[in-house]
Amino acid sequence: MTTFYWGNSVSSMQTEGGWNEGGKSLSVYDIREASEQASDWHVANDNYHAYTEDFDYMQDLGMNMYRFQISWSRVVHDGDGAFNEEGIAYYDRFIDDLLARGIEPMICLYHFDMPLHLAKTYNGFISKEVKDAFIRFGKEMVDRFADKVHYWLTFNEQNLFHQDHGFKISGYLEGEETTEELYQIFHNVMVCHAEICNYLHETTNAKIGGMLAYSEAYPATCRPQDIKAAREFDEFANFTLLDCYAHGKYSAAQDRYVKNHQLNMNILPGELEAIAAQKNDYIAFSYYASSTLNAEKIPEGTPPNRYMTFGKQDNPYIETTEWNWQIDPLGFRDVLNKVYQRYRLPVFPIENGIGVREHWDGKEPIQDDYRIAYHQEHIRAMFEAMVEDGVVCLGYLGWGLIDILSSQGDMEKRYGLVYVNRGNHELRDMKRVPKKSYEWFKEVIKTNGSTIYTNPYTE
Protein backbone atom coordinates (compact mmCIF):
# COMPACT_ATOMS: atom_id res chain seq x y z
CA MET A 1 0.00 0.00 0.00
CA THR A 2 1.23 3.49 -0.87
CA THR A 3 2.13 5.61 2.16
CA PHE A 4 -0.64 8.00 3.12
CA TYR A 5 0.65 11.19 4.68
CA TRP A 6 -0.90 12.62 7.83
CA GLY A 7 0.63 15.84 9.00
CA ASN A 8 0.83 19.52 9.78
CA SER A 9 1.46 22.66 7.69
CA VAL A 10 2.85 26.03 8.78
CA SER A 11 4.76 29.07 7.50
CA SER A 12 8.02 30.47 8.84
CA MET A 13 6.78 33.87 10.03
CA GLN A 14 3.82 32.33 11.89
CA THR A 15 6.08 29.95 13.83
CA GLU A 16 9.76 30.87 13.95
CA GLY A 17 10.44 34.16 15.70
CA GLY A 18 14.18 34.84 15.83
CA TRP A 19 13.49 37.74 13.51
CA ASN A 20 16.89 39.41 14.02
CA GLU A 21 19.07 36.40 14.86
CA GLY A 22 21.32 34.02 12.99
CA GLY A 23 22.17 36.46 10.22
CA LYS A 24 18.54 36.88 9.16
CA SER A 25 17.74 40.03 7.21
CA LEU A 26 14.38 41.78 7.38
CA SER A 27 11.20 40.68 5.63
CA VAL A 28 8.08 42.78 5.15
CA TYR A 29 6.55 41.05 8.19
CA ASP A 30 9.37 42.02 10.53
CA ILE A 31 8.44 45.71 10.43
CA ARG A 32 4.69 45.25 10.92
CA GLU A 33 3.60 46.58 14.29
CA ALA A 34 1.16 45.00 16.69
CA SER A 35 -2.43 46.21 16.66
CA GLU A 36 -5.42 45.78 18.94
CA GLN A 37 -6.31 42.42 17.35
CA ALA A 38 -2.86 41.22 16.27
CA SER A 39 0.64 40.55 17.50
CA ASP A 40 3.85 41.66 15.86
CA TRP A 41 5.88 38.91 14.16
CA HIS A 42 9.06 39.00 16.24
CA VAL A 43 8.53 35.93 18.46
CA ALA A 44 5.64 33.92 16.96
CA ASN A 45 5.89 30.51 18.69
CA ASP A 46 9.65 30.77 19.10
CA ASN A 47 10.25 27.72 16.94
CA TYR A 48 13.62 29.17 15.95
CA HIS A 49 14.83 28.27 19.43
CA ALA A 50 12.46 25.50 20.54
CA TYR A 51 10.98 23.63 17.58
CA THR A 52 11.93 20.19 18.92
CA GLU A 53 9.10 20.21 21.46
CA ASP A 54 6.59 20.64 18.66
CA PHE A 55 8.31 17.89 16.66
CA ASP A 56 7.94 15.59 19.66
CA TYR A 57 4.20 16.26 19.75
CA MET A 58 3.94 15.53 16.03
CA GLN A 59 5.87 12.30 16.47
CA ASP A 60 3.63 11.28 19.37
CA LEU A 61 0.57 11.98 17.23
CA GLY A 62 1.95 9.63 14.57
CA MET A 63 2.34 12.31 11.91
CA ASN A 64 4.59 11.34 9.04
CA MET A 65 4.83 14.68 7.19
CA TYR A 66 5.53 18.30 8.10
CA ARG A 67 5.19 21.05 5.53
CA PHE A 68 7.22 24.10 6.54
CA GLN A 69 8.65 27.16 4.84
CA ILE A 70 12.23 28.22 4.38
CA SER A 71 12.41 31.94 5.10
CA TRP A 72 14.02 33.60 2.08
CA SER A 73 15.28 36.40 4.34
CA ARG A 74 16.94 33.92 6.69
CA VAL A 75 19.03 32.19 4.04
CA VAL A 76 19.82 35.02 1.58
CA HIS A 77 21.00 38.42 2.76
CA ASP A 78 18.37 40.96 1.66
CA GLY A 79 16.94 38.37 -0.71
CA ASP A 80 19.50 38.87 -3.48
CA GLY A 81 22.83 39.05 -1.63
CA ALA A 82 25.17 36.46 -0.20
CA PHE A 83 23.81 33.16 1.06
CA ASN A 84 23.69 33.07 4.85
CA GLU A 85 25.37 29.85 5.89
CA GLU A 86 24.15 30.18 9.49
CA GLY A 87 20.54 30.30 8.30
CA ILE A 88 21.05 27.38 5.94
CA ALA A 89 22.63 25.35 8.76
CA TYR A 90 19.54 26.02 10.89
CA TYR A 91 17.27 24.42 8.29
CA ASP A 92 19.73 21.56 7.81
CA ARG A 93 19.42 20.71 11.52
CA PHE A 94 15.67 21.27 11.36
CA ILE A 95 15.28 18.75 8.52
CA ASP A 96 17.54 16.20 10.24
CA ASP A 97 15.48 16.49 13.43
CA LEU A 98 12.30 15.77 11.47
CA LEU A 99 13.82 12.77 9.73
CA ALA A 100 15.11 11.40 13.05
CA ARG A 101 11.46 11.29 14.21
CA GLY A 102 10.22 9.54 11.06
CA ILE A 103 8.56 12.71 9.73
CA GLU A 104 8.90 13.44 6.01
CA PRO A 105 9.70 17.12 5.39
CA MET A 106 7.93 19.12 2.68
CA ILE A 107 9.54 22.46 1.84
CA CYS A 108 7.62 25.54 0.71
CA LEU A 109 9.82 28.35 -0.61
CA TYR A 110 7.52 31.40 -0.34
CA HIS A 111 4.64 32.16 1.99
CA PHE A 112 4.18 35.90 1.36
CA ASP A 113 7.17 37.14 3.42
CA MET A 114 9.04 39.13 0.76
CA PRO A 115 12.52 40.28 1.82
CA LEU A 116 12.09 43.94 2.76
CA HIS A 117 14.99 45.08 0.57
CA LEU A 118 13.38 43.55 -2.52
CA ALA A 119 10.02 45.11 -1.70
CA LYS A 120 11.48 48.57 -1.17
CA THR A 121 13.94 48.48 -4.05
CA TYR A 122 11.99 46.64 -6.76
CA ASN A 123 8.34 46.58 -5.56
CA GLY A 124 8.28 42.80 -5.19
CA PHE A 125 7.24 40.23 -7.74
CA ILE A 126 6.12 42.76 -10.33
CA SER A 127 9.86 43.08 -10.98
CA LYS A 128 11.93 40.79 -13.17
CA GLU A 129 14.87 41.40 -10.80
CA VAL A 130 12.86 39.85 -7.97
CA LYS A 131 11.77 36.99 -10.21
CA ASP A 132 15.43 36.25 -10.94
CA ALA A 133 16.40 36.59 -7.27
CA PHE A 134 13.74 34.07 -6.28
CA ILE A 135 14.86 31.57 -8.92
CA ARG A 136 18.45 31.90 -7.66
CA PHE A 137 17.28 31.34 -4.06
CA GLY A 138 15.07 28.38 -5.01
CA LYS A 139 17.72 26.60 -7.04
CA GLU A 140 20.22 26.94 -4.19
CA MET A 141 17.74 25.43 -1.73
CA VAL A 142 17.16 22.52 -4.13
CA ASP A 143 20.92 22.01 -4.34
CA ARG A 144 21.28 22.08 -0.57
CA PHE A 145 18.33 19.98 0.54
CA ALA A 146 16.76 17.86 -2.23
CA ASP A 147 18.89 14.86 -1.29
CA LYS A 148 16.97 14.74 2.03
CA VAL A 149 13.69 16.46 1.18
CA HIS A 150 11.57 14.58 -1.34
CA TYR A 151 8.50 16.85 -1.51
CA TRP A 152 8.57 20.51 -2.58
CA LEU A 153 6.33 23.52 -3.16
CA THR A 154 7.35 26.88 -4.53
CA PHE A 155 4.50 29.23 -3.56
CA ASN A 156 1.82 29.01 -0.94
CA GLU A 157 -1.64 29.50 -2.49
CA GLN A 158 -0.30 30.69 -5.83
CA ASN A 159 -3.69 31.66 -7.24
CA LEU A 160 -3.96 34.45 -4.65
CA PHE A 161 -1.39 36.35 -6.70
CA HIS A 162 -4.15 36.65 -9.33
CA GLN A 163 -6.66 38.16 -6.90
CA ASP A 164 -6.77 41.35 -4.82
CA HIS A 165 -4.46 39.77 -2.24
CA GLY A 166 -1.81 39.60 -4.95
CA PHE A 167 -0.38 43.04 -4.37
CA LYS A 168 0.18 42.65 -0.63
CA ILE A 169 1.54 39.10 -0.71
CA SER A 170 3.93 39.82 -3.59
CA GLY A 171 5.82 42.62 -1.83
CA TYR A 172 4.19 45.37 -3.91
CA LEU A 173 4.50 48.60 -1.89
CA GLU A 174 3.84 51.43 -4.33
CA GLY A 175 1.62 51.91 -7.38
CA GLU A 176 -1.93 52.13 -8.63
CA GLU A 177 -2.70 48.40 -8.28
CA THR A 178 -3.98 48.07 -11.82
CA THR A 179 -5.39 44.94 -13.41
CA GLU A 180 -2.43 44.90 -15.81
CA GLU A 181 0.03 44.94 -12.90
CA LEU A 182 -1.83 42.10 -11.20
CA TYR A 183 -1.50 39.99 -14.35
CA GLN A 184 2.22 40.82 -14.51
CA ILE A 185 2.70 39.68 -10.91
CA PHE A 186 0.75 36.49 -11.58
CA HIS A 187 2.88 35.74 -14.65
CA ASN A 188 6.23 36.39 -12.94
CA VAL A 189 5.27 34.08 -10.07
CA MET A 190 4.23 31.40 -12.58
CA VAL A 191 7.61 31.67 -14.32
CA CYS A 192 9.36 31.29 -10.95
CA HIS A 193 7.40 28.13 -10.19
CA ALA A 194 8.10 26.65 -13.61
CA GLU A 195 11.84 27.39 -13.47
CA ILE A 196 12.22 25.75 -10.03
CA CYS A 197 10.02 22.82 -11.07
CA ASN A 198 12.12 22.23 -14.18
CA TYR A 199 15.42 22.59 -12.30
CA LEU A 200 14.37 20.19 -9.56
CA HIS A 201 13.44 17.51 -12.11
CA GLU A 202 16.64 18.07 -14.09
CA THR A 203 18.91 17.72 -11.06
CA THR A 204 17.17 15.52 -8.47
CA ASN A 205 14.73 12.67 -7.93
CA ALA A 206 12.51 14.78 -5.66
CA LYS A 207 8.88 15.62 -6.37
CA ILE A 208 7.24 19.02 -6.69
CA GLY A 209 3.71 20.29 -7.09
CA GLY A 210 1.88 23.53 -7.56
CA MET A 211 -0.38 24.79 -4.79
CA LEU A 212 -3.48 26.96 -4.77
CA ALA A 213 -6.11 28.16 -2.31
CA TYR A 214 -9.29 26.44 -3.45
CA SER A 215 -12.46 27.84 -1.94
CA GLU A 216 -15.55 26.38 -3.54
CA ALA A 217 -17.61 29.14 -5.21
CA TYR A 218 -21.26 28.24 -5.80
CA PRO A 219 -23.76 30.34 -7.75
CA ALA A 220 -25.84 32.32 -5.22
CA THR A 221 -29.00 31.21 -7.03
CA CYS A 222 -29.96 29.23 -10.13
CA ARG A 223 -30.10 32.47 -12.13
CA PRO A 224 -28.04 31.92 -15.28
CA GLN A 225 -26.02 35.07 -14.49
CA ASP A 226 -24.93 33.64 -11.12
CA ILE A 227 -24.01 30.31 -12.71
CA LYS A 228 -21.97 32.12 -15.35
CA ALA A 229 -20.17 34.23 -12.72
CA ALA A 230 -19.26 31.18 -10.62
CA ARG A 231 -17.94 29.34 -13.67
CA GLU A 232 -15.88 32.31 -14.84
CA PHE A 233 -14.41 32.86 -11.38
CA ASP A 234 -13.40 29.19 -11.19
CA GLU A 235 -11.78 29.48 -14.61
CA PHE A 236 -9.69 32.54 -13.75
CA ALA A 237 -9.03 31.95 -10.04
CA ASN A 238 -8.25 28.24 -10.28
CA PHE A 239 -8.26 26.54 -13.66
CA THR A 240 -5.87 28.86 -15.52
CA LEU A 241 -3.26 28.12 -12.86
CA LEU A 242 -4.04 24.40 -12.87
CA ASP A 243 -3.81 24.40 -16.67
CA CYS A 244 -0.24 25.65 -16.33
CA TYR A 245 0.62 22.96 -13.78
CA ALA A 246 -0.87 20.15 -15.86
CA HIS A 247 -0.66 21.35 -19.47
CA GLY A 248 1.99 24.07 -19.47
CA LYS A 249 -0.18 26.97 -20.65
CA TYR A 250 -2.70 29.49 -19.41
CA SER A 251 -6.34 28.74 -20.11
CA ALA A 252 -7.83 29.81 -23.44
CA ALA A 253 -10.30 32.01 -21.56
CA GLN A 254 -7.53 33.95 -19.84
CA ASP A 255 -5.51 34.29 -23.04
CA ARG A 256 -8.54 35.72 -24.82
CA TYR A 257 -9.32 38.10 -21.94
CA VAL A 258 -5.74 39.43 -21.98
CA LYS A 259 -5.91 39.92 -25.76
CA ASN A 260 -9.34 41.54 -25.77
CA HIS A 261 -8.39 43.98 -23.01
CA GLN A 262 -4.90 44.64 -24.39
CA LEU A 263 -3.17 43.75 -21.13
CA ASN A 264 0.62 43.68 -21.22
CA MET A 265 1.77 40.78 -19.03
CA ASN A 266 5.42 41.68 -19.72
CA ILE A 267 6.26 38.22 -21.04
CA LEU A 268 9.94 37.92 -21.94
CA PRO A 269 11.47 35.50 -24.47
CA GLY A 270 11.80 32.01 -23.02
CA GLU A 271 9.27 32.46 -20.22
CA LEU A 272 6.34 30.74 -21.91
CA GLU A 273 8.71 27.95 -22.93
CA ALA A 274 9.70 27.46 -19.28
CA ILE A 275 6.02 27.29 -18.29
CA ALA A 276 5.34 24.79 -21.08
CA ALA A 277 8.20 22.52 -19.97
CA GLN A 278 7.06 22.06 -16.35
CA LYS A 279 5.94 18.63 -15.16
CA ASN A 280 4.29 18.72 -11.77
CA ASP A 281 4.09 15.52 -9.76
CA TYR A 282 0.96 16.46 -7.78
CA ILE A 283 -1.44 19.33 -7.20
CA ALA A 284 -1.60 20.65 -3.64
CA PHE A 285 -4.24 22.96 -2.27
CA SER A 286 -5.66 24.53 0.85
CA TYR A 287 -9.35 24.20 1.63
CA TYR A 288 -11.23 25.77 4.52
CA ALA A 289 -14.62 26.98 3.37
CA SER A 290 -16.98 27.76 0.52
CA SER A 291 -19.01 30.76 -0.49
CA THR A 292 -21.45 31.89 -3.18
CA LEU A 293 -21.31 34.49 -5.95
CA ASN A 294 -24.11 36.93 -6.69
CA ALA A 295 -23.64 38.37 -10.17
CA GLU A 296 -25.82 41.39 -9.41
CA LYS A 297 -23.19 42.65 -6.95
CA ILE A 298 -20.32 42.53 -9.46
CA PRO A 299 -19.68 45.84 -11.28
CA GLU A 300 -19.67 45.62 -15.05
CA GLY A 301 -16.16 45.29 -16.43
CA THR A 302 -14.72 43.55 -13.35
CA PRO A 303 -12.06 40.95 -14.33
CA PRO A 304 -13.31 37.44 -13.50
CA ASN A 305 -10.36 36.84 -11.16
CA ARG A 306 -11.73 39.66 -8.94
CA TYR A 307 -15.41 38.62 -8.89
CA MET A 308 -15.26 37.40 -5.29
CA THR A 309 -14.20 40.86 -4.07
CA PHE A 310 -17.61 42.23 -5.01
CA GLY A 311 -19.96 39.29 -5.48
CA LYS A 312 -19.34 37.22 -2.32
CA GLN A 313 -22.55 36.29 -0.54
CA ASP A 314 -23.15 34.00 2.43
CA ASN A 315 -24.72 30.61 1.84
CA PRO A 316 -27.84 30.24 4.04
CA TYR A 317 -27.65 26.43 3.96
CA ILE A 318 -24.36 25.93 5.83
CA GLU A 319 -22.81 26.96 9.15
CA THR A 320 -20.32 29.78 9.52
CA THR A 321 -17.50 30.55 11.96
CA GLU A 322 -17.15 33.84 13.84
CA TRP A 323 -14.69 34.89 11.11
CA ASN A 324 -17.45 34.24 8.53
CA TRP A 325 -15.78 31.18 7.01
CA GLN A 326 -18.54 28.79 5.97
CA ILE A 327 -18.05 25.13 6.90
CA ASP A 328 -18.64 22.86 3.91
CA PRO A 329 -17.18 19.31 3.84
CA LEU A 330 -19.16 18.45 0.70
CA GLY A 331 -17.45 21.36 -1.03
CA PHE A 332 -14.13 19.76 -0.08
CA ARG A 333 -15.15 16.54 -1.81
CA ASP A 334 -16.24 18.53 -4.85
CA VAL A 335 -12.89 20.36 -5.06
CA LEU A 336 -10.97 17.09 -4.78
CA ASN A 337 -13.00 15.79 -7.71
CA LYS A 338 -12.77 18.91 -9.84
CA VAL A 339 -9.00 18.93 -9.61
CA TYR A 340 -8.36 15.22 -10.01
CA GLN A 341 -10.97 14.33 -12.60
CA ARG A 342 -9.95 17.22 -14.85
CA TYR A 343 -6.16 16.85 -14.58
CA ARG A 344 -5.50 13.27 -13.37
CA LEU A 345 -2.56 14.31 -11.23
CA PRO A 346 -2.51 13.08 -7.62
CA VAL A 347 -4.06 15.67 -5.32
CA PHE A 348 -2.77 16.68 -1.93
CA PRO A 349 -4.88 18.75 0.49
CA ILE A 350 -2.17 20.33 2.64
CA GLU A 351 -4.17 22.91 4.61
CA ASN A 352 -7.50 22.31 6.32
CA GLY A 353 -8.86 23.34 9.68
CA ILE A 354 -11.06 25.64 11.73
CA GLY A 355 -9.97 28.80 13.52
CA VAL A 356 -11.69 29.40 16.87
CA ARG A 357 -11.22 31.79 19.79
CA GLU A 358 -10.30 29.60 22.79
CA HIS A 359 -9.49 30.15 26.44
CA TRP A 360 -7.45 27.76 28.61
CA ASP A 361 -8.27 27.76 32.34
CA GLY A 362 -4.71 26.79 33.25
CA LYS A 363 -5.71 23.29 34.34
CA GLU A 364 -8.01 21.21 32.14
CA PRO A 365 -7.60 20.47 28.41
CA ILE A 366 -9.74 22.59 26.08
CA GLN A 367 -12.84 20.61 25.06
CA ASP A 368 -12.76 21.40 21.33
CA ASP A 369 -15.50 19.10 20.06
CA TYR A 370 -16.16 21.60 17.25
CA ARG A 371 -12.65 20.97 15.91
CA ILE A 372 -13.13 17.21 16.09
CA ALA A 373 -16.39 17.56 14.16
CA TYR A 374 -14.77 19.78 11.52
CA HIS A 375 -11.83 17.46 10.83
CA GLN A 376 -13.99 14.33 11.05
CA GLU A 377 -16.41 15.53 8.39
CA HIS A 378 -13.68 16.78 6.07
CA ILE A 379 -11.62 13.59 6.39
CA ARG A 380 -14.77 11.55 5.72
CA ALA A 381 -15.46 13.65 2.61
CA MET A 382 -11.89 13.04 1.45
CA PHE A 383 -12.21 9.27 1.83
CA GLU A 384 -15.54 9.34 0.00
CA ALA A 385 -13.82 11.14 -2.88
CA MET A 386 -11.07 8.52 -2.89
CA VAL A 387 -13.13 5.35 -2.47
CA GLU A 388 -16.38 6.28 -4.19
CA ASP A 389 -15.16 8.73 -6.84
CA GLY A 390 -11.71 7.36 -7.70
CA VAL A 391 -9.68 10.38 -6.63
CA VAL A 392 -5.99 9.68 -5.98
CA CYS A 393 -5.03 11.58 -2.84
CA LEU A 394 -1.56 11.58 -1.27
CA GLY A 395 -2.49 12.60 2.26
CA TYR A 396 -4.14 15.09 4.58
CA LEU A 397 -2.24 17.90 6.28
CA GLY A 398 -4.00 20.13 8.79
CA TRP A 399 -3.13 23.79 9.17
CA GLY A 400 -1.33 24.95 12.30
CA LEU A 401 -2.13 21.88 14.37
CA ILE A 402 0.02 23.35 17.12
CA ASP A 403 -1.39 26.86 17.66
CA ILE A 404 0.34 29.55 15.59
CA LEU A 405 -0.29 33.18 14.70
CA SER A 406 -3.07 33.49 12.12
CA SER A 407 -2.30 34.93 8.69
CA GLN A 408 -3.24 38.35 10.09
CA GLY A 409 -1.10 37.91 13.20
CA ASP A 410 -4.01 37.06 15.50
CA MET A 411 -3.00 34.51 18.13
CA GLU A 412 -6.61 34.26 19.27
CA LYS A 413 -7.69 32.60 16.01
CA ARG A 414 -6.52 29.11 16.91
CA TYR A 415 -6.41 26.04 14.64
CA GLY A 416 -4.38 23.70 16.79
CA LEU A 417 -4.79 20.34 18.45
CA VAL A 418 -2.25 21.73 20.92
CA TYR A 419 -2.83 25.01 22.77
CA VAL A 420 0.11 27.43 22.98
CA ASN A 421 -0.11 29.66 26.04
CA ARG A 422 0.47 33.12 24.61
CA GLY A 423 -1.77 35.93 23.47
CA ASN A 424 -1.42 38.78 21.02
CA HIS A 425 0.29 41.12 23.47
CA GLU A 426 1.42 38.78 26.24
CA LEU A 427 3.88 35.95 25.62
CA ARG A 428 3.13 34.19 28.96
CA ASP A 429 5.06 30.93 29.29
CA MET A 430 4.44 29.58 25.75
CA LYS A 431 3.47 26.24 27.31
CA ARG A 432 2.11 23.55 24.95
CA VAL A 433 -1.12 21.91 26.19
CA PRO A 434 -2.89 19.19 24.14
CA LYS A 435 -6.62 19.77 23.60
CA LYS A 436 -9.31 17.09 23.49
CA SER A 437 -8.85 16.86 19.70
CA TYR A 438 -5.22 15.74 20.18
CA GLU A 439 -6.08 12.23 21.39
CA TRP A 440 -8.89 11.97 18.84
CA PHE A 441 -6.57 12.82 15.95
CA LYS A 442 -3.92 10.47 17.30
CA GLU A 443 -6.38 7.58 16.99
CA VAL A 444 -7.38 8.68 13.47
CA ILE A 445 -3.75 8.52 12.35
CA LYS A 446 -3.08 5.24 14.17
CA THR A 447 -5.98 3.59 12.31
CA ASN A 448 -5.23 5.37 9.01
CA GLY A 449 -8.68 6.94 9.09
CA SER A 450 -10.73 3.79 9.65
CA THR A 451 -12.27 5.33 12.77
CA ILE A 452 -13.95 7.81 10.44
CA TYR A 453 -14.51 5.87 7.24
CA THR A 454 -15.06 2.12 7.52
CA ASN A 455 -13.81 1.31 4.02
CA PRO A 456 -10.48 3.15 3.98
CA TYR A 457 -8.69 3.78 0.71
CA THR A 458 -6.08 1.31 -0.45
CA GLU A 459 -4.06 1.53 -3.65
Side-chain angles (χ1 to χ4, degrees), residues 69-346:
Q69 180 212 350
I70 289 179
S71 168
W72 188 355
S73 300
R74 192 175 293 286
V75 297
V76 186
H77 182 69
D78 283 340
D80 62 355
F83 287 98
N84 175 27
E85 294 300 330
E86 188 174 355
I88 292 171
Y90 163 75
Y91 288 112
D92 200 40
R93 294 190 302 273
F94 189 97
I95 290 165
D96 285 346
D97 285 340
L98 283 171
L99 292 171
R101 291 166 173 79
I103 302 170
E104 187 85 32
M106 173 189 275
I107 284 177
C108 176
L109 294 172
Y110 187 82
H111 198 122
F112 313 154
D113 59 337
M114 175 64 61
L116 183 61
H117 164 73
L118 298 183
K120 285 186 171 181
T121 305
Y122 301 109
N123 218 21
F125 272 117
I126 198 167
S127 160
K128 297 296 183 183
E129 286 85 355
V130 173
K131 178 205 75 170
D132 292 342
F134 179 83
I135 293 169
R136 171 178 175 259
F137 150 63
K139 287 182 176 179
E140 184 71 15
M141 295 305 100
V142 168
D143 289 344
R144 298 291 188 117
F145 298 127
D147 60 330
K148 295 190 286 191
V149 178
H150 304 133
Y151 289 87
W152 291 72
L153 306 170
T154 51
F155 294 93
N156 179 69
E157 298 179 330
Q158 191 176 334
N159 58 335
L160 297 188
F161 292 93
H162 206 23
Q163 299 171 46
D164 284 348
H165 307 282
F167 293 105
K168 183 176 182 179
I169 66 178
S170 68
Y172 179 104
L173 299 182
E174 296 181 353
E176 298 180 5
E177 299 189 0
T178 66
T179 296
E180 184 169 85
E181 288 178 312
L182 193 62
Y183 274 73
Q184 289 176 3
I185 291 169
F186 177 67
H187 172 70
N188 283 344
V189 169
M190 189 68 246
V191 175
C192 287
H193 171 78
E195 290 280 7
I196 300 302
C197 178
N198 295 340
Y199 182 78
L200 180 137
H201 283 136
E202 290 164 5
T203 60
T204 80
N205 293 317
K207 297 181 184 297
I208 189 169
M211 187 216 171
L212 69 162
Y214 212 133
S215 296
E216 182 76 292
Y218 301 115
T221 72
C222 56
R223 288 193 305 256
Q225 293 88 346
D226 290 347
I227 294 169
K228 175 177 179 288
R231 177 187 60 78
E232 289 177 342
F233 177 74
D234 217 3
E235 186 69 42
F236 279 69
N238 301 310
F239 290 138
T240 192
L241 185 73
L242 292 167
D243 281 359
C244 284
Y245 294 154
H247 305 312
K249 55 187 177 182
Y250 298 118
S251 75
Q254 178 177 301
D255 283 346
R256 182 53 59 95
Y257 183 89
V258 167
K259 180 179 180 181
N260 288 347
H261 291 81
Q262 299 181 321
L263 298 176
N264 175 16
M265 293 177 65
N266 195 16
I267 298 173
L268 299 183
E271 291 182 343
L272 292 181
E273 288 78 4
I275 292 173
Q278 67 180 303
K279 303 293 182 186
N280 289 276
D281 299 294
Y282 50 87
I283 292 172
F285 66 92
S286 63
Y287 179 89
Y288 295 96
S290 68
S291 190
T292 76
L293 272 172
N294 182 340
E296 292 181 343
K297 294 183 175 183
I298 302 171
E300 188 172 350
T302 300
N305 46 296
R306 299 188 64 220
Y307 279 178
M308 192 61 74
T309 301
F310 305 99
K312 185 179 186 299
Q313 181 170 297
D314 287 349
N315 187 337
Y317 297 102
I318 54 179
E319 296 179 58
T320 186
T321 73
E322 62 182 295
W323 277 274
N324 200 34
W325 289 29
Q326 296 206 270
I327 301 169
D328 184 10
L330 189 58
F332 184 39
R333 179 176 177 178
D334 192 50
V335 167
L336 286 160
N337 270 280
K338 284 200 291 189
V339 175
Y340 181 73
Q341 306 297 355
R342 181 164 176 158
Y343 297 104
R344 292 300 177 92
L345 286 171

